[in-house]
PDB file of all heavy atoms in Angstrom:
ATOM      1  N   LEU A  12      -8.066  11.525  -4.904  1.00 98.00           N
ATOM      2  CA  LEU A  12      -8.181  10.509  -3.780  1.00 98.00           C
ATOM      3  C   LEU A  12      -9.133   9.370  -4.368  1.00 98.00           C
ATOM      4  O   LEU A  12      -9.253   8.370  -3.677  1.00 98.00           O
ATOM      5  CB  LEU A  12      -8.955  11.179  -2.620  1.00 98.00           C
ATOM      6  CG  LEU A  12      -8.180  12.267  -1.862  1.00 98.00           C
ATOM      7  CD1 LEU A  12      -8.927  13.083  -0.977  1.00 98.00           C
ATOM      8  CD2 LEU A  12      -6.965  11.644  -1.119  1.00 98.00           C
ATOM      9  N   TRP A  18      -2.930   6.876  -5.926  1.00 97.00           N
ATOM     10  CA  TRP A  18      -2.547   6.114  -4.750  1.00 97.00           C
ATOM     11  C   TRP A  18      -1.178   5.590  -4.928  1.00 97.00           C
ATOM     12  O   TRP A  18      -0.335   5.692  -3.984  1.00 97.00           O
ATOM     13  CB  TRP A  18      -3.672   5.103  -4.434  1.00 97.00           C
ATOM     14  CG  TRP A  18      -3.298   4.261  -3.144  1.00 97.00           C
ATOM     15  CD1 TRP A  18      -2.847   4.585  -2.021  1.00 97.00           C
ATOM     16  CD2 TRP A  18      -3.484   2.775  -3.119  1.00 97.00           C
ATOM     17  NE1 TRP A  18      -2.782   3.545  -1.169  1.00 97.00           N
ATOM     18  CE2 TRP A  18      -3.137   2.424  -1.780  1.00 97.00           C
ATOM     19  CE3 TRP A  18      -4.074   1.853  -3.969  1.00 97.00           C
ATOM     20  CZ2 TRP A  18      -3.213   1.034  -1.394  1.00 97.00           C
ATOM     21  CZ3 TRP A  18      -4.069   0.583  -3.529  1.00 97.00           C
ATOM     22  CH2 TRP A  18      -3.674   0.169  -2.188  1.00 97.00           C
ATOM     23  N   HIS A  21       1.530   8.127  -4.970  1.00 98.00           N
ATOM     24  CA  HIS A  21       1.685   8.620  -3.487  1.00 98.00           C
ATOM     25  C   HIS A  21       2.591   7.704  -2.738  1.00 98.00           C
ATOM     26  O   HIS A  21       3.570   8.071  -2.021  1.00 98.00           O
ATOM     27  CB  HIS A  21       0.408   8.857  -2.860  1.00 98.00           C
ATOM     28  CG  HIS A  21       0.438   9.234  -1.418  1.00 98.00           C
ATOM     29  ND1 HIS A  21       0.246   8.315  -0.370  1.00 98.00           N
ATOM     30  CD2 HIS A  21       0.633  10.409  -0.822  1.00 98.00           C
ATOM     31  CE1 HIS A  21       0.303   8.965   0.803  1.00 98.00           C
ATOM     32  NE2 HIS A  21       0.654  10.177   0.583  1.00 98.00           N
ATOM     33  N   HIS A  22       2.223   6.417  -2.832  1.00 97.00           N
ATOM     34  CA  HIS A  22       2.931   5.273  -2.208  1.00 97.00           C
ATOM     35  C   HIS A  22       4.454   5.274  -2.588  1.00 97.00           C
ATOM     36  O   HIS A  22       5.330   5.368  -1.736  1.00 97.00           O
ATOM     37  CB  HIS A  22       2.338   3.973  -2.496  1.00 97.00           C
ATOM     38  CG  HIS A  22       3.187   2.815  -2.003  1.00 97.00           C
ATOM     39  ND1 HIS A  22       4.194   2.319  -2.872  1.00 97.00           N
ATOM     40  CD2 HIS A  22       3.190   2.127  -0.843  1.00 97.00           C
ATOM     41  CE1 HIS A  22       4.857   1.250  -2.177  1.00 97.00           C
ATOM     42  NE2 HIS A  22       4.183   1.112  -1.033  1.00 97.00           N
ATOM     43  N   LYS A  25       6.212   8.477  -1.442  1.00 96.00           N
ATOM     44  CA  LYS A  25       6.422   8.475   0.077  1.00 96.00           C
ATOM     45  C   LYS A  25       7.498   7.473   0.495  1.00 96.00           C
ATOM     46  O   LYS A  25       8.193   7.869   1.261  1.00 96.00           O
ATOM     47  CB  LYS A  25       5.093   8.116   0.712  1.00 96.00           C
ATOM     48  CG  LYS A  25       5.104   8.114   2.262  1.00 96.00           C
ATOM     49  CD  LYS A  25       3.696   7.762   2.716  1.00 96.00           C
ATOM     50  CE  LYS A  25       3.627   7.576   4.223  1.00 96.00           C
ATOM     51  NZ  LYS A  25       2.432   7.118   4.696  1.00 96.00           N
ATOM     52  N   TRP A  37       0.997  20.289  -3.532  1.00 98.00           N
ATOM     53  CA  TRP A  37      -0.036  19.275  -3.614  1.00 98.00           C
ATOM     54  C   TRP A  37      -1.307  19.822  -4.095  1.00 98.00           C
ATOM     55  O   TRP A  37      -1.863  20.725  -3.431  1.00 98.00           O
ATOM     56  CB  TRP A  37      -0.237  18.546  -2.291  1.00 98.00           C
ATOM     57  CG  TRP A  37       0.935  17.770  -1.784  1.00 98.00           C
ATOM     58  CD1 TRP A  37       2.283  18.068  -1.760  1.00 98.00           C
ATOM     59  CD2 TRP A  37       0.837  16.533  -1.078  1.00 98.00           C
ATOM     60  NE1 TRP A  37       3.045  17.139  -1.148  1.00 98.00           N
ATOM     61  CE2 TRP A  37       2.175  16.135  -0.699  1.00 98.00           C
ATOM     62  CE3 TRP A  37      -0.141  15.598  -0.750  1.00 98.00           C
ATOM     63  CZ2 TRP A  37       2.460  14.932   0.017  1.00 98.00           C
ATOM     64  CZ3 TRP A  37       0.100  14.435  -0.094  1.00 98.00           C
ATOM     65  CH2 TRP A  37       1.471  14.123   0.105  1.00 98.00           C
ATOM     66  N   LYS A 111      -2.480  19.715   7.923  1.00 98.00           N
ATOM     67  CA  LYS A 111      -2.526  18.241   7.937  1.00 98.00           C
ATOM     68  C   LYS A 111      -3.008  17.545   6.595  1.00 98.00           C
ATOM     69  O   LYS A 111      -3.585  16.562   6.661  1.00 98.00           O
ATOM     70  CB  LYS A 111      -3.468  17.781   9.238  1.00 98.00           C
ATOM     71  CG  LYS A 111      -2.803  18.115  10.510  1.00 98.00           C
ATOM     72  CD  LYS A 111      -3.680  17.432  11.607  1.00 98.00           C
ATOM     73  CE  LYS A 111      -2.888  17.767  13.089  1.00 98.00           C
ATOM     74  NZ  LYS A 111      -3.580  17.133  14.139  1.00 98.00           N
ATOM     75  N   GLY A 112      -2.717  18.387   5.591  1.00 98.00           N
ATOM     76  CA  GLY A 112      -3.151  17.828   4.194  1.00 98.00           C
ATOM     77  C   GLY A 112      -2.538  16.497   3.970  1.00 98.00           C
ATOM     78  O   GLY A 112      -3.325  15.548   3.456  1.00 98.00           O
ATOM     79  N   ARG A 113      -1.279  16.226   4.142  1.00 97.00           N
ATOM     80  CA  ARG A 113      -0.644  15.047   3.899  1.00 97.00           C
ATOM     81  C   ARG A 113      -1.178  13.907   4.644  1.00 97.00           C
ATOM     82  O   ARG A 113      -1.385  12.788   4.182  1.00 97.00           O
ATOM     83  CB  ARG A 113       0.909  15.236   4.011  1.00 97.00           C
ATOM     84  CG  ARG A 113       1.464  16.232   2.902  1.00 97.00           C
ATOM     85  CD  ARG A 113       2.833  16.579   3.160  1.00 97.00           C
ATOM     86  NE  ARG A 113       3.828  15.397   3.188  1.00 97.00           N
ATOM     87  CZ  ARG A 113       5.181  15.394   3.101  1.00 97.00           C
ATOM     88  NH1 ARG A 113       5.633  16.622   2.887  1.00 97.00           N
ATOM     89  NH2 ARG A 113       5.857  14.433   3.085  1.00 97.00           N
ATOM     90  N   GLU A 114      -1.419  14.137   5.961  1.00 98.00           N
ATOM     91  CA  GLU A 114      -1.863  13.063   6.779  1.00 98.00           C
ATOM     92  C   GLU A 114      -3.350  12.762   6.279  1.00 98.00           C
ATOM     93  O   GLU A 114      -3.701  11.502   6.292  1.00 98.00           O
ATOM     94  CB  GLU A 114      -1.886  13.546   8.278  1.00 98.00           C
ATOM     95  CG  GLU A 114      -0.554  13.765   8.941  1.00 98.00           C
ATOM     96  CD  GLU A 114      -0.081  15.108   8.710  1.00 98.00           C
ATOM     97  OE1 GLU A 114      -0.472  15.836   7.846  1.00 98.00           O
ATOM     98  OE2 GLU A 114       0.813  15.565   9.510  1.00 98.00           O
ATOM     99  N   PHE A 115      -3.980  13.652   5.899  1.00 98.00           N
ATOM    100  CA  PHE A 115      -5.389  13.358   5.438  1.00 98.00           C
ATOM    101  C   PHE A 115      -5.354  12.647   4.187  1.00 98.00           C
ATOM    102  O   PHE A 115      -6.204  11.530   4.003  1.00 98.00           O
ATOM    103  CB  PHE A 115      -6.076  14.817   5.205  1.00 98.00           C
ATOM    104  CG  PHE A 115      -7.540  14.556   4.695  1.00 98.00           C
ATOM    105  CD1 PHE A 115      -8.530  14.426   5.640  1.00 98.00           C
ATOM    106  CD2 PHE A 115      -7.792  14.665   3.496  1.00 98.00           C
ATOM    107  CE1 PHE A 115      -9.859  14.305   5.147  1.00 98.00           C
ATOM    108  CE2 PHE A 115      -9.142  14.591   2.944  1.00 98.00           C
ATOM    109  CZ  PHE A 115     -10.209  14.321   3.754  1.00 98.00           C
ATOM    110  N   VAL A 116      -4.644  12.917   3.220  1.00 98.00           N
ATOM    111  CA  VAL A 116      -4.373  12.129   1.976  1.00 98.00           C
ATOM    112  C   VAL A 116      -4.071  10.700   2.298  1.00 98.00           C
ATOM    113  O   VAL A 116      -4.636   9.766   1.862  1.00 98.00           O
ATOM    114  CB  VAL A 116      -3.297  12.771   1.083  1.00 98.00           C
ATOM    115  CG1 VAL A 116      -3.096  11.832  -0.178  1.00 98.00           C
ATOM    116  CG2 VAL A 116      -3.844  14.058   0.484  1.00 98.00           C
ATOM    117  N   ASP A 117      -3.114  10.573   3.085  1.00 98.00           N
ATOM    118  CA  ASP A 117      -2.541   9.148   3.530  1.00 98.00           C
ATOM    119  C   ASP A 117      -3.715   8.301   4.089  1.00 98.00           C
ATOM    120  O   ASP A 117      -3.960   7.203   3.746  1.00 98.00           O
ATOM    121  CB  ASP A 117      -1.459   9.320   4.524  1.00 98.00           C
ATOM    122  CG  ASP A 117      -0.702   7.965   4.793  1.00 98.00           C
ATOM    123  OD1 ASP A 117      -0.082   7.430   3.821  1.00 98.00           O
ATOM    124  OD2 ASP A 117      -0.835   7.395   5.819  1.00 98.00           O
ATOM    125  N   ARG A 118      -4.504   9.004   4.999  1.00 98.00           N
ATOM    126  CA  ARG A 118      -5.538   8.240   5.684  1.00 98.00           C
ATOM    127  C   ARG A 118      -6.780   7.960   4.682  1.00 98.00           C
ATOM    128  O   ARG A 118      -7.366   6.903   4.814  1.00 98.00           O
ATOM    129  CB  ARG A 118      -6.005   9.119   6.851  1.00 98.00           C
ATOM    130  CG  ARG A 118      -7.142   8.434   7.705  1.00 98.00           C
ATOM    131  CD  ARG A 118      -6.480   7.173   8.410  1.00 98.00           C
ATOM    132  NE  ARG A 118      -7.554   6.393   9.118  1.00 98.00           N
ATOM    133  CZ  ARG A 118      -8.370   5.501   8.548  1.00 98.00           C
ATOM    134  NH1 ARG A 118      -8.169   5.180   7.194  1.00 98.00           N
ATOM    135  NH2 ARG A 118      -9.235   4.784   9.145  1.00 98.00           N
ATOM    136  N   VAL A 119      -7.045   8.928   3.942  1.00 98.00           N
ATOM    137  CA  VAL A 119      -8.154   8.741   2.924  1.00 98.00           C
ATOM    138  C   VAL A 119      -7.813   7.580   1.880  1.00 98.00           C
ATOM    139  O   VAL A 119      -8.731   6.786   1.562  1.00 98.00           O
ATOM    140  CB  VAL A 119      -8.616   9.948   2.220  1.00 98.00           C
ATOM    141  CG1 VAL A 119      -9.682   9.774   1.198  1.00 98.00           C
ATOM    142  CG2 VAL A 119      -9.137  10.986   3.329  1.00 98.00           C
ATOM    143  N   TYR A 120      -6.532   7.598   1.447  1.00 98.00           N
ATOM    144  CA  TYR A 120      -6.181   6.527   0.581  1.00 98.00           C
ATOM    145  C   TYR A 120      -6.263   5.147   1.198  1.00 98.00           C
ATOM    146  O   TYR A 120      -6.856   4.132   0.626  1.00 98.00           O
ATOM    147  CB  TYR A 120      -4.708   6.681   0.019  1.00 98.00           C
ATOM    148  CG  TYR A 120      -4.453   7.642  -1.147  1.00 98.00           C
ATOM    149  CD1 TYR A 120      -3.462   8.460  -1.118  1.00 98.00           C
ATOM    150  CD2 TYR A 120      -5.464   7.536  -2.214  1.00 98.00           C
ATOM    151  CE1 TYR A 120      -3.360   9.299  -2.284  1.00 98.00           C
ATOM    152  CE2 TYR A 120      -5.264   8.386  -3.333  1.00 98.00           C
ATOM    153  CZ  TYR A 120      -4.270   9.293  -3.327  1.00 98.00           C
ATOM    154  OH  TYR A 120      -4.097  10.107  -4.375  1.00 98.00           O
ATOM    155  N   ARG A 121      -5.911   5.089   2.505  1.00 97.00           N
ATOM    156  CA  ARG A 121      -6.048   3.790   3.066  1.00 97.00           C
ATOM    157  C   ARG A 121      -7.548   3.385   3.343  1.00 97.00           C
ATOM    158  O   ARG A 121      -7.950   2.193   3.204  1.00 97.00           O
ATOM    159  CB  ARG A 121      -5.320   3.897   4.466  1.00 97.00           C
ATOM    160  CG  ARG A 121      -5.490   2.671   5.341  1.00 97.00           C
ATOM    161  CD  ARG A 121      -4.261   2.574   6.299  1.00 97.00           C
ATOM    162  NE  ARG A 121      -4.119   3.739   7.108  1.00 97.00           N
ATOM    163  CZ  ARG A 121      -4.555   3.826   8.316  1.00 97.00           C
ATOM    164  NH1 ARG A 121      -5.282   2.993   8.827  1.00 97.00           N
ATOM    165  NH2 ARG A 121      -4.281   5.056   8.948  1.00 97.00           N
ATOM    166  N   ALA A 122      -8.350   4.455   3.688  1.00 97.00           N
ATOM    167  CA  ALA A 122      -9.725   4.166   3.805  1.00 97.00           C
ATOM    168  C   ALA A 122     -10.504   3.577   2.580  1.00 97.00           C
ATOM    169  O   ALA A 122     -11.199   2.669   2.589  1.00 97.00           O
ATOM    170  CB  ALA A 122     -10.453   5.412   4.362  1.00 97.00           C
ATOM    171  N   GLN A 125      -7.820   0.278   0.992  1.00 95.00           N
ATOM    172  CA  GLN A 125      -7.529  -0.995   1.813  1.00 95.00           C
ATOM    173  C   GLN A 125      -8.665  -1.138   2.905  1.00 95.00           C
ATOM    174  O   GLN A 125      -8.554  -2.251   3.522  1.00 95.00           O
ATOM    175  CB  GLN A 125      -6.310  -0.658   2.455  1.00 95.00           C
ATOM    176  CG  GLN A 125      -5.109  -0.467   1.465  1.00 95.00           C
ATOM    177  CD  GLN A 125      -3.744  -0.410   2.116  1.00 95.00           C
ATOM    178  OE1 GLN A 125      -3.246   0.507   2.656  1.00 95.00           O
ATOM    179  NE2 GLN A 125      -2.813  -1.597   1.873  1.00 95.00           N
TER     180      GLN A 125
END
Side-chain angles (χ1 to χ4, degrees):
L12 297 168
W18 175 43
H21 174 260
H22 169 274
K25 183 179 174 183
W37 295 42
K111 293 191 175 181
R113 292 172 59 163
E114 292 91 335
F115 182 82
V116 169
D117 190 68
R118 184 64 188 89
V119 173
Y120 274 141
R121 178 153 52 92
Q125 297 189 290

